[in-house]
Amino acid sequence: MNSTHLSHDMAIIRQSARDFAETYIRPHVMEWDESQHFPVDLMRNLGAHGFLGVLVPEEYDGSGLGYQEYITIIEEIAKVCSSIGLSVAAHNSLCTGHILAFGNEAQKQAYLPRLATGEFIGAWGLTEPNTGSDAGRMQCVAEKDGDFYVLNGTKCWITHGISGDVAVVIARTGELLDSRGMSAFIIEKGTPGFRPGKKENKLGMRASETAELIFENCRVHQDQLLGNEGEGFIQAMKVLDGGRISIAALSLGIAKGAYEASLKYAQEREQFGQPIANFQGISFKLADMVTKTEAAELLTRKAADLKNAHQPVTKVSAMAKYYASEVAVQVATDAVQIHGGYGYTKDFPVEKFFRDSKLCTIGEGTSEIQKLVISREALKGN
């Protein structure tokens, strides 16, 4: 397919994501944010429109698209509501992505069509109350008992922890600090001994549900093991390589949304008899915002290219996630400043971009962890 066709298809995908966001998300953004309401019906609708199985092949009822299209969809949704962008990203790249990459044929047949169409909402559990970046010390344990594993422990900061219909959970099956001592399981809602815990009351991304997962003698059949025992941590690191591209795309949507709102406001708002965009103090801010956003997009698109080509992506996806997330915070901060007092109110969209942006520097590996990943790869000569 030549680039003209590709860009034409991309334009159609962009417009379709934009139209969906304007029609089904825009009217409810602040209402959902204020009440921390996670719109399950919207997720089902996103699935019906093909936005929950973006990378899933058509044989499993997915959209069969690549990472460039995926970035575009996340970005367009995040420009309107980054909470929904986050939920779409977590569903696609973590839960669904993990089963797509490491599930056997029976597992793919059982779960991918339901996840891709929105019949199932997906969750993914790695983090625990005392092990965030230090996942090797996880306390959630899965002990073998005949044909079953018995899980005990707690996962936290789980997107869709309450409303998720299925979760991919990484639990310890071996020794502490052993990277081959963890395994991944597919666990359905309603499995005895598996229940949601506390829902978090968050600064931003408030319409994206975040909660605990609690396991108390939860019996999971060995058929629900993803890959082989002991491969869970290695799988999770590979899943995060792709997940970081989606957080970069989410950051990009926030930065673009905040920039576009600021550009519009600066051209309309007048002080001293002229639009504030005419003042160098404001115009230079806009110049910085658009330049950084453009650079973040190029890095994110490069990561997507590598991922599509099945090339090593660890370093570049970490760079894209680190840079784009920090840019989102900087651009959203400048956006509030350009709006002045109005930027501090909920009548304008930039205060929400400001609150939402911060999570991008924390979730799926903090900025500090990205720097660790980037420097290790650079020192290896990658």
Side-chain angles (χ1 to χ4, degrees):
M1 188 183 280
N2 67 36
S3 60
T4 314
H5 279 132
L6 276 174
S7 58
H8 176 66
D9 289 350
M10 187 72 88
I12 293 169
I13 288 162
R14 185 180 290 282
Q15 195 58 51
S16 124
R18 187 173 292 173
D19 290 346
F20 183 96
E22 290 298 335
T23 306
Y24 299 107
I25 302 173
R26 174 93 59 197
H28 309 287
V29 169
M30 291 316 291
E31 164 204 338
W32 292 339
D33 183 73
E34 299 272 287
S35 62
Q36 291 210 87
H37 171 67
F38 173 58
V40 172
D41 290 349
L42 178 82
M43 291 294 284
R44 310 278 182 225
N45 196 6
L46 280 157
H49 281 77
F51 296 131
L52 294 188
V54 180
L55 303 161
V56 175
E58 291 177 28
E59 67 193 273
Y60 303 112
D61 295 342
S63 299
L65 300 173
Y67 267 80
Q68 296 294 358
E69 293 86 355
Y70 179 48
I71 286 171
T72 303
I73 289 164
I74 298 287
E75 179 200 305
E76 286 299 329
I77 292 170
K79 276 163 72 172
V80 173
C81 179
S82 23
S83 294
I84 305 303
L86 174 64
S87 278
V88 171
H91 175 97
N92 272 286
S93 69
L94 298 181
C95 180
T96 308
H98 199 139
I99 297 170
L100 178 63
F102 298 104
N104 58 37
E105 194 52 38
Q107 290 166 339
K108 288 179 182 179
Q109 295 283 359
Y111 294 105
L112 290 180
R114 289 191 275 183
L115 286 162
T117 57
E119 180 191 337
F120 271 12
I121 293 170
W124 191 77
L126 176 67
T127 304
E128 297 182 7
N130 296 311
T131 57
S133 304
D134 184 13
R137 293 179 199 271
M138 68 171 54
Q139 301 296 313
C140 186
V141 175
E143 291 183 345
K144 196 88 196 291
D145 180 22
D147 290 342
F148 288 82
Y149 287 86
V150 181
L151 270 72
N152 281 287
T154 304
K155 295 289 176 181
C156 65
W157 312 120
I158 309 306
T159 304
H160 313 146
I162 295 166
S163 302
D165 300 285
V166 63
V168 172
V169 176
I170 292 93
R172 191 155 57 79
T173 46
E175 296 304 311
L176 271 178
L177 300 178
D178 179 4
S179 66
R180 296 199 169 269
M182 290 161 270
S183 304
F185 301 89
I186 307 170
I187 309 177
E188 289 189 39
K189 187 184 213 168
T191 303
F194 172 39
R195 63 181 173 87
K198 180 182 80 143
K199 179 176 173 175
E200 302 299 341
N201 184 4
K202 308 193 301 273
L203 168 72
M205 303 286 194
R206 289 169 60 83
S208 180
E209 177 185 275
T210 307
E212 293 177 318
L213 299 178
I214 297 169
F215 302 93
E216 294 165 326
N217 295 321
C218 174
R219 292 175 68 78
V220 180
H221 195 271
Q222 62 189 15
D223 288 350
Q224 299 300 97
L225 180 69
L226 273 160
N228 298 314
E229 184 178 305
E231 291 176 352
F233 183 74
I234 291 108
Q235 291 174 7
M237 293 304 105
K238 287 182 179 160
V239 167
L240 284 172
D241 275 351
R244 283 165 183 161
I245 298 173
S246 57
I247 299 298
L250 182 64
S251 304
L252 199 54
I254 293 171
K256 285 192 179 183
Y259 167 72
E260 286 169 16
S262 302
L263 189 66
K264 181 172 180 284
Y265 182 82
Q267 289 169 311
E268 291 170 357
R269 169 75 167 167
E270 291 198 354
Q271 290 288 278
F272 307 102
Q274 57 185 308
I276 63 170
N278 290 355
F279 300 118
Q280 196 177 73
I282 301 296
S283 65
F284 278 17
K285 267 190 171 50
L286 292 167
D288 279 338
M289 291 159 86
V290 72
T291 303
K292 288 174 181 172
T293 303
E294 191 90 3
E297 175 153 23
L298 287 168
L299 205 42
T300 307
R301 297 276 175 196
K302 179 180 179 180
D305 256 357
L306 291 170
K307 188 76 179 161
N308 281 342
H310 306 290
Q311 297 288 319
V313 75
T314 302
K315 183 174 77 170
V316 178
S317 67
M319 288 165 79
K321 194 272 191 194
Y322 163 54
Y323 186 74
S325 65
E326 293 291 344
V327 163
V329 172
Q330 292 162 17
V331 171
T333 303
D334 281 346
V336 171
Q337 195 70 17
I338 287 170
H339 281 71
Y342 291 112
Y344 207 66
T345 70
K346 294 186 184 288
D347 298 330
F348 286 79
V350 291
E351 67 84 31
K352 183 174 181 295
F353 286 127
F354 179 74
R355 287 184 290 111
D356 289 352
S357 65
K358 192 60 203 161
L359 181 74
C360 298
T361 69
I362 299 168
E364 294 194 36
T366 60
S367 289
E368 290 73 20
I369 287 293
Q370 305 312 319
K371 289 196 224 183
L372 197 65
V373 171
I374 296 160
S375 57
R376 275 182 184 163
E377 289 296 309
L379 289 164
K380 277 192 225 163
N382 292 343

